[in-house]
Amino acid sequence: MDLQDKDILPREILPVIVIGNGPSGICLSYLLSGYTPYLSQEGTHPNPLLQGKLDQQPHLSLLELDLEYLCEGLEGRSSNPMAVLFDSLLLPDSDFGLDHASPLLWRYEPERATPHLVLGKGPPGGAWHAMEGSMLTLSLANWMELPGLKLKEWMREKRRNVRNDRATPAEIASYYQHYVNQMGLEDSFACGTTVTSIQRVNCEGASGRPLWKVQGTQKREADELGEGSPSEVPFTVCADYVVLATGTHDIPARLGVEGEGLPFVCHSFWELEAAISRGQLDHTSDPVLVVGAGLTAADAVLAAHHLNTPVYHAFRRSVTDPGLIFNQLPKLLYPEYHKVHQMMTQQQQQQQQHGQDLPSSGGTGAPMDQQENNTASMSSGSYPGYVSLPKHRVVAFKPDRKCVLEGEDGRRTVLQVSMALVLIGAHPNLSFLPENGRPLGLNPQEPITCRRNPLEVDPYTYESVSEGGLYAMGPLVGENFVRFLKGGALAIASDLAKKQRAKEENHTTLGGVDGQTESARVLDS
């Protein structure tokens, strides 16, 4: 299903611009388009405290209630109170495996809609379109869905048996793209756009208050522009408010070690897939080195192991570290990751018994018999062809495809490999912001990262603490799961609605002074 790109009008002034068309941006667009949550007359919530609060003003929409008050006393798997609240309302008691009906009733009220524009580089769904298509997602299927369209029902219509209550990334990407059309949101989406600059200015037609000027380029087909025309056209659009919903998968994290830029060192799972599709890896290949202990690294281990390609797996944590993601996943729901954790645990002993180490003062050119001993250790154990190297760090990559590792005791090991995959996470691309967005982080001196230094926002409005009129949501504020990023959409939509009501009340008090000047703008900062 193709989505027609919306043409961005030059110098267009809008109330809200959303940068990023993944699930965060889609969910916010749904709320800004007039879809409004109410407490259903028949609905009840299993939490009596929350139910009692909802019953106090049942005639009001959720966007009109005091959300901070509703958040009090709630607990969940997210540290963001709004994420816990909305998740509790959409999926009550889902952490206990219960399928309790949501007490919310959604009404389409177009008079509440706020004009907005969602910008994205690709089709709606964001990074989900670039993920590996056959592996199962980490989250349960209903945790991936957006309000108003049950994911399980949608998958059943596609005549697919839902296995293990999880979906594949390809299905999730297709669901999000279908969602935009099903809910009639496509007119607010401009795909094929790349934002290059955001800054505060006084745009033409504004009332004197500073607006956000967003600049970038939009991909256009050659036949749309005429023969010989460029494939990308620049655009400039101004808005009262900007929402950052770009995610964090843009720039792979790097080790910062010698030789990391060599051709055999890769930083994405897709480069492994490409090597496999070209027939470069099989059971006769030199081992693949996988660096990292996250889920993407586990996917790479599984993919290579499936081909019987030998795998070295190096990571800095202990296999028993409670912070290791594998120690947080239920075994029955995630059998493939449990298998990788077993491999990491059991095969490390084989490496310790058979692997040959080099003193830390030694060179990087290990004798061939030491290389052969390291490879030979892969033939033993429960998982032949795999060696786990916990509490190891990469020291250097060498042009002859040798990798130098160092254990916690300071001893070094040299491995001969066919390729190295450094899969240690990713950082957001905020190059369109001054200083790559650093002044907006919890620690302005450090780069923005999802876990260690997210953007600092008000926990109940998601508005930037340091830059008024700028909002952020999703992974940029530490929410990595679709299940919880929907709370950010509720917080932002509620805050914008509150500002709209305040503006209307102010205009009523002033008798409509300057009404004609402001008529073209729905929101004011």
Side-chain angles (χ1 to χ4, degrees):
M1 178 270 298
D2 293 328
L3 184 71
Q4 293 295 324
D5 287 347
K6 174 185 175 66
D7 293 339
I8 302 177
L9 302 178
R11 293 291 178 178
E12 188 176 3
I13 298 177
L14 290 168
V16 181
I17 290 178
V18 183
I19 301 176
N21 64 356
S24 295
I26 295 173
C27 187
L28 179 57
S29 177
Y30 178 75
L31 291 170
L32 294 180
S33 296
Y35 291 95
T36 310
Y38 288 85
L39 178 65
S40 171
Q41 292 182 352
E42 298 80 18
T44 59
H45 196 279
N47 184 325
L49 177 62
L50 181 56
Q51 180 66 42
K53 293 179 180 179
L54 293 170
D55 285 337
Q56 293 174 7
Q57 295 176 301
H59 61 287
L60 295 180
S61 75
L62 195 59
L63 299 178
E64 298 170 283
L65 297 178
D66 184 346
L67 299 181
E68 183 173 354
Y69 170 64
L70 295 181
C71 287
E72 293 176 357
L74 295 181
E75 296 180 353
R77 295 188 178 182
S78 171
S79 59
N80 291 327
M82 288 295 295
V84 174
L85 170 64
F86 206 25
D87 177 69
S88 178
L89 291 171
L90 293 171
L91 301 167
D93 281 351
S94 63
D95 282 336
F96 303 104
L98 303 178
D99 193 17
H100 197 290
S102 171
L104 297 182
L105 172 68
W106 291 88
R107 298 175 184 169
Y108 179 55
E109 300 174 333
E111 68 276 9
R112 290 181 180 268
T114 299
H116 62 283
L117 184 63
V118 182
L119 306 177
K121 294 180 180 179
W128 285 96
H129 288 279
M131 295 183 185
E132 204 278 326
S134 61
M135 293 186 178
L136 294 172
T137 62
L138 177 61
S139 294
L140 300 177
N142 61 335
W143 292 356
M144 307 296 297
E145 69 189 20
L146 299 179
L149 182 61
K150 293 291 185 181
L151 177 57
K152 287 184 181 179
E153 295 177 3
W154 178 83
M155 287 196 297
R156 288 193 185 100
E157 291 177 359
K158 299 296 180 182
R159 299 184 179 180
R160 173 190 178 270
N161 293 325
V162 182
R163 55 182 174 131
N164 204 20
D165 206 24
R166 292 160 65 193
T168 66
E171 289 167 334
I172 298 299
S174 180
Y175 165 80
Y176 291 143
Q177 196 166 359
H178 175 80
Y179 183 93
V180 170
N181 282 268
Q182 180 74 20
M183 300 302 170
L185 311 179
E186 62 267 25
D187 287 344
S188 297
F189 279 70
C191 302
T193 57
T194 299
V195 174
T196 57
S197 172
I198 297 178
Q199 55 183 316
R200 281 285 201 182
V201 296
N202 287 324
C203 286
E204 295 178 10
S207 62
R209 293 175 180 258
L211 300 177
W212 291 102
K213 183 171 75 171
V214 179
Q215 294 178 300
T217 59
Q218 183 177 28
K219 292 182 180 179
R220 301 286 297 280
E221 298 296 333
D223 55 0
E224 295 180 33
L225 302 172
E227 186 175 354
S229 299
S231 60
E232 294 185 353
V233 294
F235 70 83
T236 298
V237 59
C238 292
D240 293 284
Y241 304 101
V242 167
V243 180
L244 303 178
T246 56
T248 61
H249 296 282
D250 295 309
I251 304 174
R254 301 177 70 88
L255 296 168
V257 301
E258 175 191 345
E260 193 169 5
L262 291 170
F264 72 94
V265 182
C266 305
H267 294 82
S268 73
F269 180 85
W270 326 121
E271 292 174 276
L272 172 62
E273 279 197 322
I276 293 173
S277 64
R278 292 193 298 265
Q280 295 178 351
L281 296 176
D282 57 28
H283 67 283
T284 65
S285 306
D286 281 334
V288 171
L289 172 64
V290 177
V291 181
L295 299 179
T296 305
D299 289 339
V301 168
L302 290 171
H305 195 64
H306 179 72
L307 294 173
N308 293 320
T309 300
V311 178
Y312 291 123
H313 187 190
F315 45 97
R316 302 193 67 165
R317 294 178 183 265
S318 162
V319 292
T320 58
D321 190 320
L324 203 66
I325 184 64
F326 307 103
N327 292 320
Q328 304 172 28
L329 300 177
K331 297 178 181 179
L332 293 179
L333 285 177
Y334 308 101
E336 73 276 28
Y337 293 129
H338 175 57
K339 175 183 176 181
V340 173
H341 192 217
Q342 279 187 323
M343 297 166 66
M344 294 165 65
T345 302
Q346 297 179 15
Q347 294 297 107
Q348 64 171 319
Q349 298 301 322
Q350 300 298 325
Q351 172 64 18
Q352 290 171 0
Q353 292 172 10
H354 299 288
Q356 297 294 321
D357 296 320
L358 294 179
S360 58
S361 59
T364 59
M368 186 55 67
D369 60 339
Q370 291 179 326
Q371 299 298 330
E372 291 173 350
N373 280 338
N374 271 331
T375 305
S377 67
M378 290 186 168
S379 63
S380 57
S382 303
Y383 299 98
Y386 172 88
V387 169
S388 169
L389 294 158
K391 297 185 178 181
H392 278 70
R393 69 181 186 91
V394 176
V395 176
F397 298 102
K398 297 300 181 180
D400 56 358
R401 295 182 182 265
K402 287 185 173 66
C403 303
V404 185
L405 305 182
E406 185 176 88
E408 64 175 344
D409 59 359
R411 292 195 298 176
R412 293 188 175 185
T413 301
V414 177
L415 305 175
Q416 181 74 52
V417 302
S418 59
M419 67 183 301
L421 287 161
V422 179
L423 304 173
I424 55 174
H427 301 314
N429 181 3
L430 298 177
S431 59
F432 51 81
L433 291 173
E435 300 181 54
N436 292 300
R438 286 193 182 196
L440 305 176
L442 289 173
N443 183 352
Q445 306 303 318
E446 297 293 329
I448 299 298
T449 60
C450 174
R451 294 182 180 178
R452 295 182 178 85
N453 191 34
L455 299 184
E456 186 177 13
V457 296
D458 183 283
Y460 300 102
T461 67
Y462 282 56
E463 187 172 15
S464 170
V465 171
S466 57
E467 190 66 70
L470 184 68
Y471 295 81
M473 61 186 302
L476 290 177
V477 298
E479 292 296 0
N480 286 309
F481 293 100
V482 174
R483 173 186 177 186
F484 293 120
L485 59 78
K486 291 173 280 191
L490 176 65
I492 295 171
S494 174
D495 192 54
L496 292 175
K498 179 189 293 186
K499 290 178 177 178
Q500 170 67 5
R501 291 193 298 271
K503 177 196 155 189
E504 291 174 349
E505 292 172 0
N506 183 54
H507 279 196
T508 300
T509 303
L510 296 177
V513 176
D514 292 333
Q516 293 181 345
T517 303
E518 298 291 333
S519 62
R521 300 171 60 208
V522 179
L523 296 175
D524 201 358
S525 53

